[in-house]
Amino acid sequence: MCGIVGYIGKKEALPILIKGLRRLEYRGYDSAGVAVLDADNVTVKRVRAVGKIDTLAEKLKAETMAGTVGIAHTRWATHGGVTEDNAHPHTDCSGAVTVVHNGIIENYRELKKRLSTKHVFKSETDTEVIAHLIEAHYKGDLRLAVEMALTHVQGTYGLVVMHRDSPRKIVAARLGSPLVIGVGDKEYYVASDTSPMLAYTQQVIFLDDGEIAELTDSEVKIVNHHDQKIDKHTEQIDWDEAAAQTNGFAHFMLKEIFDQPTVIKDALRGRLQVEEGTAHLGGLNMTEEQMHKVRRVILIACGTASYAAMVGKYAFERLAGIPTEIDVASEFRYRDPIIDPHTLVFGVSQSGETADTLAALREAKRKGAYVRGIVNVVGSTMARETDGGTYIHAGPELAVASTKAYTNLIAVLIMYALQFGRTNRVTVATGQRVVNAFLEISEKMTRALKTSAAVRQIAEKYRGYKNFLFLGRGINYPVALEGSLKMKEISYIHSEAYPGGEMKHGPIALLSPEFPVVAILTKNQLYDKMRSNIEEIRARKAPLILIATEGDEDARALADDVIFVPQTMELLEPIINTIPLQLFAYHMAVLLGKDVDRPRNLAKSVTVE
Ligand code: G6P
């Protein structure tokens, strides 16, 4: 969702801001804008545009925007339509205050009504009230004015502000919407995540809720809402600019699909114990005694992460024998969940910023559960708010549709299940089987990726269809769900996913030669059951694409098209079997001319409820 970049230093701000906005494009947006403060001439220039950054960049060609202080924004509309007037940055009445904001100001209607007697509003946004509030409180000290203004505000914000009369200063404030400060050599960056600053620095300070930062040419000063100074550590992040490039691939999504065999090794590294047949995830922060007392596991997530969590449920129940539920975060938080001190709750999230997942975890914590995070983005809110947990080490994932984070989330969830399982019912031998299967998984993923050209041909053949049904059973049911989600997200083709055995309870009515089915029929304990479901499809003459195990010649005879994947231990099958489905959605979207990395209406990181 919305993205923020700010810069203060010696360099020209505009190129840094525009490059930064491009780095944030992946989050999803529908308009963009930039403002640069020229200290020599004491002027602020602002340019905004509806649509892509390219449109903004085109518009900027006709402008000169000199200055070494500036802020910029990509907006994903919430309050007010997608118009230039509603695009950020927003200003006060005179144009002295310039503001960019992520989040939602809940009481903006009351504030606007009150301010309207003396202030002139130019947009329909909630954000604009902040600019006018700061104007009302400004008496020469921008930080104090922001602090005062925020005392009137209810809601969430990641906020970055400039003032024409404090020309060598930027003020940033955070409550519920992330902000990171990049520390350079006598220069500072501020952004909603680290990606815009990776080209310049890997030294960062993560702002926490309730903190306000004042950036000048020579220092960062961080205070709380009572203006008391807070000492913060500068942290070194290990993601670099190279990891955030397409590296010759046509899209980020394709690059990220092909990253998977490499980044899964990063997730596994140092965590598998071959001799002991177990995994050790230090971030769990629980003693064996506490682990023994866990009676229930709840996995909370949204979107793709929730399908990874579904695989985690199978793993926890099969290996650890602990009843495990998956809850979609937006449901969990309003459902009065039953939680006791023997409940272990994991938040499962690529970004670590998904608003519903964060709120659900806070609710679980309030009710006394152990709360842990399984997260990709280092320093994200979830990583910081939970009492432990694990990074999945997938590296920056910039395509909106999640791929490599999904497989790494699964790997970490299975490792957790193994770690718990080895404290109760899993033998060394069984544990070693899981560990050994993990040790071979990267090479098998590479083999699964070799299907890409064949999958593209299948996509060519099926590109005219308007609907698909995805089917899987057992641990491959989440794979079907994820395959269907990928198809919807990036190719906008309608698809549904069902457990194979449930098909005859409704969806079978849809089947016809116009309604293709993608089914996962790999060699596992449910092979024969799934095969029976496939016969039912054949009888209805629906075109059939199968994901089958290498060497299964029967599968070839059954289906119109088959994609063969390497066999692995059943528990790890989703890591392999999802790959051709990711590729299928990708090739389909490319063939249909869709914006693969930035699909319409979607945001990478959903930071509002
Ligand atoms: C958005 C994204 C999805 C993602 C979901 C959860 O809807 O478009 O790709 O799966 O959020 O995100 P998270 O960062 O919590 O995994």
Side-chain angles (χ1 to χ4, degrees), residues 67-85:
T68 57
V69 184
I71 58 180
H73 192 264
T74 47
R75 173 174 188 253
W76 192 86
T78 56
H79 293 66
V82 182
T83 65
E84 193 175 314
D85 283 343

Side-chain angles (χ1 to χ4, degrees), residues 66 105 141 144 178 252 254 291 323 368 407 463 468 512 525 577:
I105 306 303
D141 186 327
L144 286 180
F252 277 114
L254 190 62
M291 287 169 77
T407 37
R463 60 188 284 183
F468 282 87
S512 75
Q525 54 173 331
N577 296 354

Side-chain angles (χ1 to χ4, degrees), residues 302-305 348-352 354 357 400-402 489 602-604 606:
C302 300
T304 287
V348 182
S349 173
Q350 188 285 128
S351 64
T354 305
T357 312
V400 165
S402 183
E489 282 180 317
L602 294 179
K604 178 77 182 157
V606 180

Side-chain angles (χ1 to χ4, degrees), residues 158-197:
L159 180 73
V160 182
V161 187
M162 302 188 298
H163 198 296
R164 197 176 48 206
D165 302 339
S166 302
R168 299 304 311 172
K169 196 176 278 185
I170 286 180
V171 173
R174 167 188 172 149
L175 189 74
S177 205
L179 281 180
V180 191
I181 294 165
V183 181
D185 177 19
K186 298 224 164 35
E187 60 178 6
Y188 296 98
Y189 304 81
V190 57
S192 37
D193 66 47
T194 54
S195 50
M197 55 191 76

Side-chain angles (χ1 to χ4, degrees), residues 62 96 101 237 280 322 327 446:
H101 164 233
I237 41 165
H280 181 74
I322 305 174
D327 233 314
T446 305

Side-chain angles (χ1 to χ4, degrees), residues 139 143 175 222 256 273 295 340 407 460 550 592 608:
K139 307 249 172 344
R143 189 183 81 236
L175 189 74
I222 297 171
E256 287 159 9
Q273 300 182 345
R295 293 282 163 269
D340 64 32
T407 37
E460 284 269 11
E550 285 171 353
L592 296 176
V608 297

